[in-house]
Amino acid sequence: METVKCISSPEDLEKLRQEIIAKREPSKPSVSVCVSTGCVALGAWRVMEAFKAELDKQGLKDEVEIKETGCLGFCEQGPRVTVYPQEICYLKVKPEDVPEIVSKTILEKQIVERLLYTDRATGGTAQKLEDIPFYKYQLRLLLEDNAKIDPKNIEDYIALGGYCALAKSLFEMTPERVIEEIKKANLRGRGGGGFPTGLKWETTRNALGEPKYVIVNCDQGDPGAFMDRSLMEGNPHSVLEGLIIGGYAIGAHEGFVYVREEYPIAVESISTAIRQAEEYGLLGENIMGSGFNFRVKVHRGAGAFVSGESSALMTAIEGKVGEPRPKYVHTAVKGIWDKPSCLNNDKTWATVPLIILRGGQWFRRIGTEGSSGTMIFSLVGKVNNTGLVEVPMGITLRDLIYKIGGGIRGGKRFKAVQTGGPSGGLIPEEYLDLPVDFDELTKVGSMMGSGGMVVMDEDICMVDTARYFVDFLLEESCGKCIPCREGLRVLSKILNDVCEGKGKDEDVQTTEDIAETMREASLCALGQTAANPVLTSLKYFRDEWEQHIRDKRCSARVCKALINYYIDPEKCQACLFCLRECPVGAVQGGKDQVHWVDQEKCVKCGTCYEVCNFDAVKKLSGEPIPPHPPKGMKPVRKGK
Amino acid sequence: MKIVTLKIDDKEIKTEEGTTILEAAKRAGVEIPTLCYLEGLEPYGACRVCSVEIERRGRSRIVAACCYPAEEGLKVVTRSPKIDKIRKTIIELAGVMAGEDVAGETRALASEYHADLSRFRARVSMEPTKCILCGICVRRCIEATWDSAIGFIGRGVNRRVVLYPERAGTCAICNYCQRVCPTGRISSTGPDPPFPHVDDVLSGRK
Amino acid sequence: MELECQHCNYKWDYLGDNEYYATCPRCRYKVKIPKDKASVLRRKKLDQELKRRFPMEKRPGKLFGIAGIVNKVMEDYLYDESMLIQILLRLQRNFGWLPREMLSEVSKQLVVPVSQVYQVATFYKAFSIAPRGRHLVRVCMGTSCKVRGAPIVLDNLQRLMNVERGETTPDNRFSLETVNCLGCCALGPMMTVDGEYHGGVKLPNVKNILSKYG
């Protein structure tokens, strides 16, 4: 690596940027492979090795550049490889495809058709990323750069204009002016609470006490949401730049970054980013020659969802157990070690440099009246296109699910969408035209939260979903206050009983009593919002509850104790698959004899349903089970 | 110290800024029930029995009186049908772990709010441990000896108060914990304090 | 260190080494030593003890066994109390699990109460007080993975390995745990073994995946 020059003024930064751009040739062919967690899980490192080996073999090591880049959120279609300068995007690349890509696309400039994105419905293909319908309707302010930078190389970020916002704040703006710009932009916290960021910064700045602290909250515990992971892995410098600007505005000289331990690649990314920023003089003493000092420390979480709550996080940074404490005096006034501390989500920090460079007015024009800017949603579940969606606030749920998500997978019927993680609720079909922003969804009992969106179809039981969330919160509750700890214990038992067919009529009233107590009297937001999934499932899907309690039936055929597996003798082809795979030997029959399920032995594991290739296994609920076919019955053979 | 005026149950009270609603009410003679509060220890805010309804700038919400600092112009209501129902449900929820035969503060509160301590027992079948995890004994022990002999372990419903064998020798037989336990769980102190042993709890024997 | 008696308001310079109380020379009342001043005393006591045991000027050369392992990690983190969780994470990663002796050693070297170390070690899921198997199997139970059938995968694993979640197989080969969201929500159901990700797990593949780890 060449000797690193320490940047000691904004002119140095500009000079370095010009040098880096001059060294790069835009027309030189290069290949960029995504190496974030999602693509790594599907084998991206093997694809990378295959590229290196193939280019070596063909003697092209010096002419073609290989780059590691970050996540763009369409993880199901990974590993993703982009070939420049034509910007051709290949999806689901395997190591065996690499020689073909090298010989056809790089050398002969031709496209390998089968590796392009293919639309499931229309069959059309798309060459460039922007033409893929999933990406066409997005406005990717924060995630765009993930495709162009290597998170372990600060020069990529500088080449795209990185750290110019920092130079502008340190040398051309006073701290009060920075806070005013953030207030003008109406930036609201992206962690779920939606508190006005400018107001929080101002409160921290005016609070008494030294030293002050700024904190990045990357402890995204919401199951089903992974945008913090994607941003921190792909572009850690944007978060770092926002943090330094925030420290300057508030008057803090020490910052903390709290990352989950379950995201090892993100921890590595941010640690490398901090080290490189210090080497280049953009962090540490006398940043860029302005006289402002700032240090950053990385703290790793250790597997507790409740530690993501702001007061719990501050307690964890102090080295004690991450339990929440009463926040009647705001943490902006009394936070870590009772000093003023400003905590924001990493998406909020990453938006700050954009606002400083382009102005608060520009930001305010995007989105709705009450919520400006874009929001990253994690659209997962039973939709055709799952992944991260960054769109301006105010988009309707219907557009999100059908236009960008591509509709329900397998042509099934939509039932509900669960928003906001364990603190949010279920929204049924009649509210699909609601615009999504901080305030709209609370009117129907749910909330936007940090952006999780799980789409559910007719094969998912709403009572089972409520039970899942209550069990999740029961495990993650810290156990300090009585309403949350005991309330969740009783609710979990009630819901488990209902799902097993032991529900009683007074359960609904008991649930509502406990939910009201939890909402009013719990210590922290986990307990206060814990009852939302249960209450919304009661409000909108009351008929499913009645079926479970009175008829002992599960219409979605999910709750194990209420369903039975049955093999249709008309369709069974006696292939012996399910007989062999059944872990308890409950499938009876033999070669050329129709199979049937012995209900006494069946443990309802679902293996036979998964492996049958002829759709012969059915799930019955609440219906009488037909008697098993006579011994030795021959299968009805379908045409050859 | 600045003096602020607030209204508790229609009584005008003057107090220093920064004192909690509970302390201000006590000085004025208004009783707010508590389970995890002890004079002289820092407020913990765990039992939520002291919940009161406050009205501030036109919005009303329910807060814990032992932790909320007094402000100018605050309106506090300590008894009302809504608050009584919440307190009753909290005591019934505490009854899941406390069991039927409790002594002390919990029994007095249960009879005052007509709480049925065995309402949820029928649903959740578990052996009552008689400990509601209010934390007074632990906080008292930490005040007495910085490296306390007892403490919390675990999280959520697996949270317990245990005795650390490494520190059992420092138990000063001061009787602090026995005097303040609101359920009467701590039956005696002495060379062998009646807390579950760390090994037992961690391996699931208790 | 200067102390003030709260009964008779007498101020004096305390030269003793009791960390919790001092006796007021004038009225004989027991005065509690405030926490921040107490830690100075404790650090002084630890230094004196170390100097007594190792009279050479250099840092003690080698501490054996568990004390040595803990000491090496402490040096990296500069004996900072606020990094307790990070220290335990590093020890868990290097050693595999946290025996009781290690917890009391951490409390001794870092000068934090034993109750705080125990509370941290049992609160978080990443720490294990019991020995773990050679390979750690983690199944993701996030919403997206659950909707795609993660409980069925978990059931299958439990039946194959004959353990419940949170336990280790008798031959010490595998430890089964669940985790709440690994961050690969588009690829459910997700499973990691020793940090290696396996996505889109289907029931027949589970046996194959496990057989790769001896």
Side-chain angles (χ1 to χ4, degrees):
Chain A
M1 210 173 123
E2 322 90 61
T3 48
V4 159
K5 266 192 308 231
C6 197
I7 301 176
S8 46
S9 70
E11 292 80 32
D12 264 357
L13 178 68
E14 186 58 34
K15 209 167 65 162
L16 180 61
R17 194 164 82 86
Q18 299 296 345
E19 274 176 27
I20 299 173
I21 296 180
K23 258 192 284 189
R24 298 184 176 190
E25 307 161 34
S27 55
K28 181 175 170 183
S30 71
V31 171
S32 72
V33 183
C34 167
V35 287
S36 269
T37 313
C39 289
V40 162
L42 293 171
W45 284 118
R46 283 199 302 264
V47 172
M48 185 71 123
E49 297 301 323
F51 264 110
K52 286 199 188 131
E54 183 68 23
L55 289 176
D56 240 349
K57 200 167 83 165
Q58 303 243 9
L60 293 167
K61 210 165 65 156
D62 294 319
E63 277 120 55
V64 181
E65 197 188 328
I66 311 183
K67 224 172 144 94
E68 304 170 2
T69 55
C71 180
L72 279 181
F74 206 2
C75 304
E76 214 176 5
Q77 307 276 338
R80 177 180 61 86
V81 172
T82 315
V83 181
Y84 292 96
Q86 306 98 310
E87 287 185 34
I88 302 179
C89 184
Y90 289 132
L91 302 171
K92 295 204 180 163
V93 174
K94 293 203 226 357
E96 302 84 63
D97 302 323
V98 167
E100 197 178 337
I101 298 180
V102 173
S103 53
K104 273 183 95 173
T105 313
I106 300 183
L107 290 178
E108 297 170 26
K109 309 264 190 283
Q110 279 179 15
I111 304 179
V112 183
E113 284 285 335
R114 64 189 165 79
L115 290 175
L116 288 177
Y117 170 78
T118 325
D119 195 301
R120 236 182 271 232
T122 63
T125 57
Q127 237 184 57
K128 292 198 180 176
L129 202 74
E130 292 84 48
D131 298 328
I132 302 179
F134 185 69
Y135 287 110
K136 205 154 62 164
Y137 302 107
Q138 295 189 33
L139 175 64
R140 282 173 300 133
L141 296 175
L142 291 176
L143 291 179
E144 172 107 44
D145 291 340
N146 275 11
K148 300 185 198 147
I149 59 180
D150 177 2
K152 297 205 188 57
N153 190 356
I154 191 176
E155 304 209 332
D156 283 350
Y157 184 67
I158 296 180
L160 289 174
Y163 290 105
C164 286
L166 181 62
K168 184 171 169 190
S169 325
L170 288 177
F171 291 96
E172 293 169 33
M173 297 165 89
T174 60
E176 288 85 3
R177 179 87 182 73
V178 174
I179 297 184
E180 208 188 292
E181 195 71 33
I182 303 287
K183 278 170 97 168
K184 223 195 306 181
N186 197 15
L187 175 65
R188 288 171 73 166
R190 297 291 192 253
F195 192 79
T197 310
L199 190 58
K200 195 187 259 192
W201 286 20
E202 201 176 41
T203 317
T204 320
R205 185 179 172 77
N206 295 340
L208 298 166
E210 286 290 326
K212 303 200 168 79
Y213 300 103
V214 280
I215 309 164
V216 178
N217 183 353
C218 190
D219 188 32
Q220 179 156 58
D222 278 2
F226 59 105
M227 35 280 193
D228 285 359
R229 187 253 313 146
S230 176
L231 184 64
M232 195 57 105
E233 281 177 2
N235 197 354
H237 284 284
S238 60
V239 177
L240 202 53
E241 189 179 355
L243 187 67
I244 308 176
I245 297 177
Y248 172 69
I250 292 174
H253 297 276
E254 191 164 347
F256 294 101
V257 178
Y258 190 93
V259 190
R260 287 183 79 195
E261 179 261 336
E262 283 91 343
Y263 296 161
I265 302 187
V267 174
E268 217 184 285
S269 255
I270 187 73
S271 308
T272 316
I274 292 175
R275 205 169 21 93
Q276 287 195 334
E278 280 175 351
E279 280 172 11
Y280 277 68
L282 296 160
L283 191 61
E285 307 273 322
N286 199 10
I287 295 179
M288 279 206 254
S290 63
F292 178 62
N293 307 335
F294 196 75
R295 285 181 304 144
V296 181
K297 251 199 222 176
V298 175
H299 273 251
R300 280 190 293 157
F305 172 71
V306 71
S307 281
E309 203 259 343
S310 60
S311 62
L313 206 150
M314 297 191 192
T315 318
I317 291 184
E318 289 179 25
K320 307 195 190 103
V321 181
E323 281 173 346
R325 40 184 202 219
K327 279 200 300 196
Y328 302 130
V329 180
H330 289 293
T331 49
V333 176
K334 280 198 171 190
I336 306 185
W337 293 302
D338 278 346
K339 303 281 184 219
S341 323
C342 177
L343 182 139
N344 278 122
N345 187 269
D346 61 339
K347 300 192 285 281
T348 319
W349 290 117
T351 323
V352 166
L354 296 172
I355 295 179
I356 300 289
L357 277 182
R358 301 197 215 179
Q361 287 288 46
W362 159 83
F363 193 72
R364 212 181 180 137
R365 265 182 255 133
I366 310 173
T368 63
E369 182 62 41
S371 324
S372 28
T374 58
M375 181 73 179
I376 310 183
F377 294 104
S378 155
L379 187 67
V380 291
K382 300 289 190 93
V383 272
N384 276 321
N385 304 325
T386 61
L388 297 180
V389 178
E390 184 172 359
V391 281
M393 299 263 199
I395 189 175
T396 60
L397 283 167
R398 196 180 293 275
D399 278 346
L400 257 180
I401 298 173
Y402 289 100
K403 204 153 89 162
I404 300 186
I408 307 291
R409 199 174 276 223
K412 304 242 177 182
R413 199 170 46 89
F414 171 83
K415 198 189 245 187
V417 60
Q418 203 277 337
T419 62
S423 318
L426 300 153
I427 300 183
E429 188 160 6
E430 58 225 50
Y431 295 113
L432 271 185
D433 289 305
L434 276 177
V436 185
D437 70 356
F438 283 110
D439 310 304
E440 282 296 317
L441 295 184
T442 41
K443 295 183 193 154
V444 289
S446 175
M447 61 188 246
M448 185 173 76
S450 64
M453 291 252 159
V454 186
V455 179
M456 305 184 171
D457 65 359
E458 54 186 338
D459 282 338
I460 298 192
C461 175
M462 294 292 115
V463 186
D464 184 58
T465 309
R467 180 189 65 87
Y468 164 78
F469 279 116
V470 168
D471 277 347
F472 171 79
L473 288 170
L474 178 71
E475 209 187 312
E476 297 291 341
S477 162
C478 73
K480 193 167 164 184
C481 71
I482 294 182
C484 172
R485 180 185 75 231
E486 305 295 340
L488 280 173
R489 193 204 300 251
V490 180
L491 274 184
S492 165
K493 191 67 174 45
I494 291 179
L495 279 168
N496 271 300
D497 277 350
V498 170
C499 281
E500 285 172 12
K502 300 188 208 145
K504 301 197 183 69
D505 279 324
E506 66 260 15
D507 283 344
V508 177
Q509 182 58 40
T510 317
T511 308
E512 286 178 356
D513 278 344
I514 298 181
E516 195 203 324
T517 308
M518 284 172 73
R519 196 180 48 228
E520 305 283 350
S522 291
L523 195 142
C524 76
L526 191 148
Q528 284 160 9
T529 55
N532 279 357
V534 185
L535 286 178
T536 45
S537 79
L538 263 178
K539 190 161 132 184
Y540 299 119
F541 299 99
R542 189 62 172 255
D543 50 336
E544 289 204 28
W545 274 77
E546 307 272 316
Q547 278 174 7
H548 276 77
I549 297 179
R550 294 221 182 107
D551 310 332
K552 311 281 189 257
R553 187 165 81 90
C554 177
S555 54
R557 303 199 176 83
V558 170
C559 301
K560 270 203 210 169
L562 303 176
I563 57 172
N564 290 299
Y565 285 90
Y566 170 71
I567 301 183
D568 187 351
E570 308 284 306
K571 286 199 178 158
C572 176
Q573 301 288 296
C575 62
L576 292 176
F577 262 8
C578 57
L579 200 139
R580 269 183 256 154
E581 292 290 333
C582 177
V584 293
V587 178
Q588 312 290 331
K591 196 164 161 155
D592 218 29
Q593 283 177 20
V594 159
H595 303 327
W596 53 277
V597 178
D598 183 351
Q599 300 296 335
E600 310 275 304
K601 290 195 189 160
C602 177
V603 291
K604 324 260 171 70
C605 68
T607 314
C608 53
Y609 187 77
E610 297 247 334
V611 300
C612 180
N613 288 325
F614 304 103
D615 271 339
V617 182
K618 304 247 178 306
K619 290 197 266 200
L620 304 175
S621 181
E623 305 157 27
I625 312 166
H628 62 80
K631 194 169 158 81
M633 173 173 158
K634 297 262 187 247
V636 175
R637 293 283 176 203
K638 310 284 179 224
K640 282 275 181 309
Chain B
M1 266 277 149
K2 202 168 114 186
I3 305 282
V4 294
T5 325
L6 61 149
K7 247 181 161 182
I8 302 185
D9 277 346
D10 290 330
K11 267 195 201 167
E12 284 252 344
I13 299 175
K14 283 195 195 311
T15 176
E16 285 175 358
E17 190 181 28
T19 51
T20 57
I21 298 180
L22 185 68
E23 287 171 7
K26 210 183 273 203
R27 265 184 249 157
V30 179
E31 276 294 317
I32 302 182
T34 60
L35 274 181
C36 72
Y37 175 77
L38 192 67
E39 183 102 34
L41 290 179
E42 283 239 6
Y44 196 48
C47 68
R48 315 305 287 181
V49 168
C50 63
S51 304
V52 294
E53 191 165 350
I54 61 164
E55 197 187 312
R56 181 173 172 253
R57 295 193 211 155
R59 272 189 2 185
S60 70
R61 61 193 258 232
I62 301 214
V63 299
C66 63
C67 299
Y68 199 91
E71 289 165 354
E72 180 69 42
L74 203 59
K75 273 203 269 286
V76 182
V77 174
T78 63
R79 292 297 290 260
S80 81
K82 182 172 171 190
I83 297 178
D84 278 5
K85 181 163 183 227
I86 288 180
R87 286 195 192 144
K88 171 174 176 291
T89 319
I90 293 178
I91 300 173
E92 284 168 354
L93 285 173
V96 171
M97 279 196 94
E100 266 294 313
D101 47 343
V102 284
E105 190 70 27
T106 325
R107 166 69 61 198
L109 277 178
S111 48
E112 185 183 340
Y113 286 89
H114 310 289
D116 177 14
L117 284 172
S118 54
R119 176 177 172 194
F120 299 115
R121 255 193 168 281
R123 262 358 254 274
V124 181
S125 52
M126 63 171 257
E127 229 1 81
T129 60
K130 287 188 80 176
C131 170
I132 57 170
L133 297 172
C134 64
I136 300 186
C137 54
V138 175
R139 283 142 60 211
R140 207 64 166 97
C141 195
I142 292 180
E143 283 285 313
T145 75
W146 170 81
D147 202 348
S148 70
I150 55 175
F152 286 117
I153 60 166
R155 169 174 96 188
V157 288
N158 303 324
R159 201 172 155 108
R160 298 282 184 273
V161 176
V162 292
L163 173 77
Y164 302 114
E166 293 95 343
R167 308 297 307 158
T170 65
C171 176
I173 317 179
C174 52
N175 267 12
Y176 281 173
C177 46
Q178 185 186 17
R179 262 186 257 159
V180 295
C181 178
T183 58
R185 163 77 175 81
I186 307 173
S187 45
S188 63
T189 54
D192 199 4
F195 293 99
H197 204 258
V198 152
D199 294 319
D200 286 339
V201 175
L202 285 179
S203 59
R205 279 194 287 269
K206 273 256 167 58
Chain C
M1 165 204 336
E2 217 198 54
L3 284 179
E4 179 177 347
C5 171
Q6 62 247 45
H7 268 241
C8 59
N9 291 335
Y10 179 67
K11 286 199 185 62
W12 81 103
D13 202 9
Y14 178 59
L15 299 168
D17 58 8
N18 188 318
E19 299 151 15
Y20 307 118
Y21 313 107
T23 313
C24 169
R26 193 201 275 177
C27 65
R28 314 305 293 173
Y29 191 77
K30 282 208 167 38
V31 175
K32 177 176 161 189
I33 297 185
K35 281 206 192 111
D36 44 349
K37 293 193 176 153
S39 68
V40 168
L41 270 179
R42 254 174 259 122
R43 197 62 63 118
K44 208 167 75 175
K45 231 183 173 177
L46 185 68
D47 278 345
Q48 281 172 351
E49 182 68 18
L50 281 176
K51 268 208 192 80
R52 187 185 67 84
R53 270 202 266 166
F54 306 100
M56 303 167 284
E57 202 49 36
K58 291 193 293 199
R59 192 85 58 86
K62 241 178 170 322
L63 283 171
F64 293 101
I66 288 190
I69 298 174
V70 174
N71 199 35
K72 229 182 283 200
V73 175
M74 289 290 175
E75 285 179 14
D76 280 339
Y77 284 99
L78 305 173
Y79 289 88
D80 189 359
E81 289 111 37
S82 67
M83 303 296 257
L84 174 63
I85 301 175
Q86 314 304 309
I87 291 171
L88 287 177
L89 274 171
R90 176 81 73 87
L91 285 169
Q92 167 85 33
R93 190 168 51 172
N94 291 352
F95 197 71
W97 58 295
L98 298 173
R100 303 276 300 284
E101 295 80 22
M102 196 179 273
L103 293 179
S104 35
E105 196 59 42
V106 169
S107 139
K108 237 188 276 175
Q109 295 195 16
L110 197 58
V111 193
V112 287
V114 151
S115 55
Q116 189 175 333
V117 182
Y118 266 98
Q119 203 179 355
V120 168
T122 51
F123 185 89
Y124 291 104
K125 265 181 105 176
F127 302 129
S128 168
I129 315 281
R132 270 204 182 137
R134 286 195 301 272
H135 304 287
L136 179 63
V137 179
R138 280 171 143 184
V139 183
C140 177
M141 299 298 278
T143 322
S144 173
C145 294
K146 177 218 184 292
V147 148
R148 296 211 197 175
I152 305 184
V153 173
L154 180 68
D155 267 343
N156 210 353
L157 277 167
Q158 281 179 326
R159 215 176 308 118
L160 267 178
M161 299 202 275
N162 219 357
V163 286
E164 294 287 312
R165 46 186 271 199
E167 290 181 6
T168 313
T169 54
D171 60 356
N172 240 4
R173 194 171 150 204
F174 289 113
S175 271
L176 179 64
E177 270 188 20
T178 57
V179 75
N180 287 322
C181 200
L182 287 165
C184 305
C185 309
L187 304 171
M190 239 2 242
M191 195 170 109
T192 69
V193 185
D194 281 349
E196 247 184 71
Y197 290 90
H198 298 276
V201 175
K202 292 213 188 329
L203 281 178
N205 297 349
V206 171
K207 255 190 253 175
N208 287 350
I209 297 176
L210 286 184
S211 62
K212 285 191 217 153
Y213 299 91

